[in-house]
Amino acid sequence: MRRPIIAGNWKMNNTIAETKALIADLIPLVKDAACDVVVCTPYTDLAAAVEATRGTNIKVGAENVHWAEKGAFTGEISAKMLVELGVEYVIIGHSERRQYFGETDETVNMRVKAALAAGLKPIICVGETLAERESGKTAEVVTRQTRAAFKDIDKDELDNIVIAYEPVWAIGTGKTATAEDANDTIKVIRDTMAELYCPKCAESRVRIQYGGSMNPKNASELMAMPEIDGGLIGGASLKAEDFSKVVNF
Ligand code: PGA
C-alpha cells in the first residue's frame, strides 16, 4: 500500500545555525518513523540540512525550483543545482508562490517537468481559496490544478511525485479542514489521477498529503482517513517536538 510521507515546509524560516540545531533535535525523535520524513528548507539552509541528515532517515527538499536548466534568470535556482547539493524533494506550486509570486498552473507544470528531468521528486501543491470554497468550486479548482500540473507527465514518474492538497484558507490560520472534508477533496484529486492515468495507478502509486494547520493534535485523526497519505507541515515543522509528534502520528 501507499507509504505515508510527512514533510516539513519551513518557508522563510531558520538560519544555517538554526537548521543544524533543529535537525540535531529532530534526528533521535523521528528515527523509528513508519513513514517517509522530509524537511523542506530555504535554499541557503539546504547544504547544511543535507550534511546534518546524512545517514539518517530524514530526506531534504527545497521549496521551489526554476524550470530552465540555466541562463539569465537572476535570483533563480535550477534543478541541477539542487541535485548537486544532495536534495531529493522539491515543493512546487505552493499557494504562497501562487498568491504572492505569480505562479500559474502552467509554470507549475514547467517546474515539475524540470524537477523530474533532473531526478528530483516534486511535492505538487493544489488547493482552493476561501472564496472558491464558499462558491462551491473546490472540486473544480483542484481538478484543474491537478490536470495542469500533470500535463505531459509520463505514468512512469508517478512513484516519484507527491501531491499535497492544501486548502489555502487553512494554511497558517489555525483552521484545519475537517478530516472528512480533506478526505473527500483528496478523493477528487485521486479520481482525477485515475482518469489521467489509470485507476490502479491512482490507487497504488499516487501519494496525496493534506496540508494546512496540521499539528500534533489533529495529525492522527487526519492520518486515519483512507485517502490521506501524509502531511505537508508548516508552522508545526519549526519545532522538533511538534514535528516529531506529527511524524509519529
Ligand atoms: P501550516 O502550513 O501548517 O503552517 O498551515 C502548511 C503549508 O503551507 O505547507
Side-chain angles (χ1 to χ4, degrees):
M1 268 317 276
R2 304 183 302 262
R3 182 172 164 85
I5 175 166
I6 305 283
N9 173 12
W10 289 4
K11 310 193 178 185
M12 198 171 72
N13 292 291
N14 292 329
T15 62
I16 291 174
E18 288 162 345
T19 297
K20 290 179 183 167
L22 176 50
I23 290 177
D25 288 347
L26 196 57
I27 290 170
L29 300 177
V30 302
K31 68 178 187 352
D32 300 319
C35 62
D36 291 343
V37 183
V38 184
V39 291
C40 298
T41 83
Y43 291 131
T44 46
D45 295 333
L46 288 169
V50 168
E51 185 54 39
T53 55
R54 206 178 293 286
T56 75
N57 60 332
I58 304 172
K59 309 288 188 201
V60 175
E63 298 175 13
N64 195 14
V65 62
H66 196 263
W67 57 79
E69 269 179 47
K70 60 180 178 177
F73 300 101
T74 303
E76 293 297 320
I77 299 287
S78 76
K80 190 174 165 187
M81 293 169 185
L82 297 175
V83 169
E84 187 187 39
L85 284 179
V87 169
E88 194 169 322
Y89 288 86
V90 60
I91 298 172
I92 295 178
H94 189 278
S95 64
E96 286 150 18
R97 304 286 331 163
R98 294 180 192 253
Q99 274 185 297
Y100 310 140
F101 301 101
E103 198 76 59
T104 65
D105 287 346
E106 193 189 4
T107 55
V108 167
N109 177 244
M110 289 159 73
R111 291 179 206 271
V112 171
K113 285 179 187 159
L116 290 169
L120 289 170
K121 297 175 179 160
I123 299 174
I124 302 173
C125 301
V126 300
E128 81 287 0
T129 61
L130 185 58
E132 288 163 343
R133 163 156 293 244
E134 286 176 344
S135 55
K137 293 210 173 92
T138 299
E140 183 188 322
V141 169
V142 298
T143 301
R144 186 202 76 225
Q145 291 174 332
T146 304
R147 285 186 165 276
F150 283 86
K151 186 166 180 282
D152 301 327
I153 303 297
D154 198 89
K155 193 199 272 188
D156 292 345
E157 298 283 11
L158 292 181
D159 302 304
N160 300 324
I161 303 176
V162 175
I163 302 173
Y165 166 57
E166 298 205 305
V168 178
W169 48 271
I171 294 177
T173 57
K175 288 185 202 152
T176 325
T178 65
E180 288 75 20
D181 275 353
N183 193 70
D184 288 351
T185 307
I186 289 177
K187 179 76 168 66
V188 170
I189 297 167
R190 198 177 303 286
D191 289 347
T192 305
M193 293 300 285
E195 272 171 42
L196 288 175
Y197 296 92
C198 72
K200 191 157 171 279
C201 320
E203 193 54 40
S204 60
R205 294 172 53 198
V206 177
R207 294 191 289 180
I208 310 180
Q209 299 171 317
Y210 167 77
S213 301
M214 192 161 163
N215 59 44
K217 287 207 179 75
N218 57 30
S220 59
E221 191 193 353
L222 287 158
M223 290 303 297
M225 302 307 288
E227 297 292 340
I228 302 181
D229 303 324
L232 185 56
I233 320 299
S237 72
L238 298 174
K239 292 206 177 97
E241 202 177 311
D242 285 353
F243 187 58
S244 72
K245 284 183 184 154
V246 178
V247 165
N248 298 313
F249 62 90

